[in-house]
Amino acid sequence: MATTILVGAQWGDEGKGKIIDVLTEQADVVVRYQGGNNAGHTVEVGAEKYVLHLIPSGILYPGKLNVIGNGVVVDPLALLEEIDHLKSRGIAVDGNLLVSNRAHMVLPYHKVLDAIREQSNKIGTTKRGIGPAYSDKVGRTGFRMVDLLSPEKFSAKLRLKVRETNEIARAFDQKPLSFAKINADYLAAGKKLRRYIVDTIKLLNRLERDGRQLLLEGAQGTLLDIDFGTYPFVTSSNTTSGGACTGAGIPPHRIGRVVGVMKAYTTRVGEGPFPTELLDDQGAQIRETGKEFGATTGRPRRCGWFDAIATRYSVTLNGIDELAVTKMDVLDELPKIKVCVAYKLDGKLIDTVPADVDDLSRCKPVYQEFDGWQTSTKLIREFEDLPKRARLYLNKIAQLSGAKIGIVSVGPRREETIFL
Ligand code: GDP
Ligand code: IMO
Ligand code: MG
């Protein structure tokens, strides 16, 4: 296995955490390359369930190196909490976790600004300060992990940033933030995190040249990408495979494979167009069966049928070689299953995702209907053993999406996986 990128092919929560976990067995290093603790990646091992927000989903495999790449925005307090939580559950986090010194930080004022912006311009964010932290990065006024290692410089710059944010907070009737508290909290966090903060670029490229297997873990999904998603209802980073190179510091020609994770249906959290959304009992049933509630915010996820226009766009954009189809088992009981094969926009058939969200909002899905297999797939471990109708469905969604299937997931646990 050459360096592999794993991306979400829909609107996030495709089951990336689970698939990273199963692929980690063959990898040496897992690198998160973008996003922050807006992500919630679930891994179930035996009777234990772990939700990872910043730490790569490879952490549950002993002996693998896990790296938070330069493209991630890190809330140091959230990271410490996650480290402590894992340690309290007996997971080793020392010696196998590193954080790029170039990764930008999320500070408390980013969360304040996130909440203020949501009042007038509702995206339905996770309120983790992600957008404002990336805005500061691009605006060249951000803090990076390396800054935690120079307390005096950190404090001087922080004082200005807190003053600036408090002006805005006042204008929106928000409580002002305390420079002293943030300064003390973050410098204390810096002391604890110091041992994890390194220059990951040199290290990752050396490991890669030495023949180690790198697995680059994306967060969110293609339709939430800042450039290619349903703008402005997106997250603030490049979730797609190009973002893996810039967010990990690995050159494009060293990438050997791109895996796209997609659910056998579709979900979305937050605002924004969702052509195949089911607002009826069918949607509620999928939400119940699939336990579709956010791993980070607990919000109910919007549920709908599989959208092959969206996934074909993802396959093209990311260069997906192999698909991992998750949550097949959630469709087990359904008598009929629909797949969106085209959009109808103002009476005209189209087969691409329009750039304008208002156009996408007006798109009506054109469906092809399939007979359900109506039998449990949870215990099946070989593709050939799946019911014929399930195989037919999988082959159809792969063909419509334009890539071959490498993995089918029939349950949240490690072993509930079919490799093709
Ligand atoms: P991620 O953000 O892409 O890592 O996905 P999440 O962890 O937010 O959401 C996926 C949810 O589906 C988690 O609760 C997983 O444990 C669960 N899951 C993953 N694969 C499967 C599957 O094949 N079947 C079922 N029933 N659940 C799955
Ligand atoms: P994982 O990695 C699903 C959504 C939010 C909101 C939009 C912007 O678990 O798949 P943000 O806080 O990033 O500024 O919110 O993006 N969103 C996600 N939806 N899965 C995620 O992560 C998400 N991370 C952000 O709901 O619509
Ligand atoms: Mg998630």
Side-chain angles (χ1 to χ4, degrees):
M1 184 177 84
T3 292
T4 297
I5 298 175
L6 180 139
V7 295
Q10 295 159 322
W11 276 273
D13 302 328
E14 297 91 346
K16 298 176 293 294
K18 168 181 169 163
I19 303 299
I20 286 283
D21 175 72
V22 301
L23 292 178
T24 298
E25 194 178 358
Q26 302 148 44
D28 299 297
V29 189
V30 185
V31 190
R32 258 288 298 275
Y33 62 81
Q34 45 68 236
N37 61 335
N38 49 350
H41 295 182
T42 313
V43 181
E44 289 194 24
V45 187
E48 298 293 315
K49 176 172 163 175
Y50 303 87
V51 180
L52 299 151
H53 300 286
L54 281 164
I55 296 177
S57 306
I59 197 77
L60 302 170
Y61 259 99
K64 311 288 179 173
L65 178 64
N66 289 271
V67 175
I68 299 178
N70 58 280
V72 176
V73 285
V74 179
D75 180 333
L77 302 188
L79 176 58
L80 278 173
E81 204 176 298
E82 200 168 323
I83 291 172
D84 288 345
H85 176 76
L86 287 176
K87 281 186 181 168
S88 75
R89 295 180 66 182
I91 306 296
V93 188
D94 285 327
N96 57 346
L97 176 69
L98 295 172
V99 185
S100 168
N101 55 3
R102 289 179 172 83
H104 275 252
M105 273 193 272
V106 180
L107 284 132
Y109 50 80
H110 293 129
K111 285 185 250 183
V112 170
L113 294 172
D114 199 348
I116 289 174
R117 284 177 198 168
E118 279 288 286
Q119 286 172 15
S120 54
N121 186 22
K122 193 163 163 53
I123 305 289
T125 74
T126 59
K127 301 216 176 108
R128 297 295 188 272
I130 305 300
Y134 276 116
S135 300
D136 270 357
K137 172 178 175 173
V138 178
R140 297 160 297 182
T141 58
F143 284 93
R144 301 189 298 171
M145 294 306 283
V146 68
D147 298 325
L148 277 185
L149 309 180
S150 304
E152 276 174 33
K153 236 167 56 182
F154 175 83
S155 302
K157 188 168 152 186
L158 180 70
R159 190 183 289 282
L160 293 175
K161 287 296 281 185
V162 172
R163 192 187 300 158
E164 186 185 295
T165 314
N166 281 344
E167 302 266 321
I168 301 171
R170 195 169 311 123
F172 285 87
D173 296 323
Q174 303 276 320
K175 257 196 0 231
L177 290 164
S178 157
F179 158 73
K181 176 157 173 38
I182 301 173
N183 192 48
D185 287 351
Y186 280 71
L187 289 181
K191 279 195 185 137
K192 291 188 189 159
L193 289 172
R194 178 178 282 269
R195 64 165 117 166
Y196 302 101
I197 304 172
V198 298
D199 189 332
T200 55
I201 307 306
K202 208 171 136 190
L203 172 74
L204 288 174
N205 280 282
R206 182 174 52 74
L207 290 170
E208 196 274 333
R209 294 280 170 171
D210 286 350
R212 299 291 158 80
Q213 307 293 313
L214 270 55
L215 184 53
L216 310 185
E217 175 179 0
Q220 291 83 51
T222 301
L223 280 301
L224 289 172
D225 182 283
I226 184 72
D227 281 280
F228 306 111
T230 52
Y231 192 89
F233 302 102
V234 291
T235 192
S236 298
S237 61
N238 282 119
T239 60
T240 40
S241 54
C245 293
T246 54
I250 300 293
H253 73 283
R254 307 300 296 178
I255 305 300
R257 172 167 81 140
V258 181
V259 175
V261 187
M262 60 189 204
K263 279 178 185 165
Y265 49 95
T266 313
T267 63
R268 171 163 207 172
V269 192
E271 305 295 308
F274 177 5
T276 62
E277 181 169 18
L278 291 163
L279 296 162
D280 54 8
D281 288 350
Q282 182 71 76
Q285 190 196 337
I286 294 176
R287 184 176 309 113
E288 283 308 307
T289 314
K291 301 199 180 74
E292 295 294 357
F293 296 88
T296 295
T297 58
R299 290 179 287 178
R301 293 174 181 152
R302 300 157 66 190
C303 297
W305 296 121
F306 186 84
D307 181 343
I309 305 307
T311 55
R312 184 155 67 226
Y313 176 65
S314 289
V315 166
T316 306
L317 196 51
N318 291 294
I320 291 173
D321 303 298
E322 238 175 77
L323 293 164
V325 182
T326 61
K327 307 199 96 159
M328 262 306 268
D329 56 300
V330 175
L331 303 181
D332 281 350
E333 301 303 321
L334 301 185
K336 297 279 178 198
I337 303 166
K338 291 183 187 177
V339 170
C340 169
V341 295
Y343 295 149
K344 207 165 208 182
L345 175 60
D346 303 332
K348 259 177 66 183
L349 281 179
I350 60 167
D351 63 0
T352 51
V353 179
D356 186 335
V357 273
D358 294 331
D359 286 344
L360 186 59
S361 302
R362 291 204 314 285
C363 281
K364 299 274 175 276
V366 178
Y367 287 120
Q368 186 174 340
E369 196 175 72
F370 293 80
D371 289 325
W373 43 95
Q374 296 192 280
T375 164
S376 176
T377 55
K378 271 186 99 66
L379 297 174
I380 295 173
R381 301 291 175 263
E382 299 291 335
F383 188 79
E384 290 68 33
D385 296 337
L386 283 167
K388 190 164 171 241
R389 286 173 177 170
R391 276 181 283 142
L392 197 77
Y393 180 75
L394 283 166
N395 286 333
K396 191 67 190 180
I397 61 176
Q399 183 215 332
L400 288 167
S401 303
K404 65 174 199 284
I405 298 179
I407 293 176
V408 178
S409 173
V410 290
R413 288 157 56 163
R414 228 177 232 176
E415 63 276 16
E416 291 168 326
T417 310
I418 299 169
F419 294 93
L420 273 77

